[in-house]
Amino acid sequence: RREAKREERRKAAYIEPRDEWREEELAEWRGEDFTGPLLVAVDGLVFNAWQGRHFYGPGCEYHIMAGRDATRLLAKQKLEEETEAEKA
C-alpha cells in the first residue's frame, strides 16, 4: 500500500524533460500545488525536486530556489533575494 501511494505521487509530480526552459516556464512549477512537479534549475540543468518538497516547498527553507534558476543563489550561498546593491 505504501509503495502504491508513492507511485501515485511520483506520477502526479512527473513532467516531461526538455532541452530548454524559459524562466517563465520554470516559475509555473514552484511546488505550490503540493502534488505536482517542483523544478529547480542550476547551471543550465533543471531538476524535479518533488521528493524534496519538505525542503523546497512553500514555507520551507529553500523555497526561494524553486521555480527558477538558482545558480547565483547557490554560488553566493543566499537564502534570500539579493538587494540591488548585492546584484551590482
Side-chain angles (χ1 to χ4, degrees), residues 20-38:
E20 295 182 16
W21 290 83
R22 292 191 320 260
E23 292 223 20
E24 309 83 55
E25 294 170 326
L26 289 173
E28 295 176 30
W29 305 108
R30 294 179 46 85
E32 295 175 4
D33 66 1
F34 296 100
T35 58
L38 194 160

Side-chain angles (χ1 to χ4, degrees), residues 32 37 48 51 58 66 71-72:
E32 295 175 4
N48 187 346
Q51 291 180 340
T71 304
R72 185 175 172 95

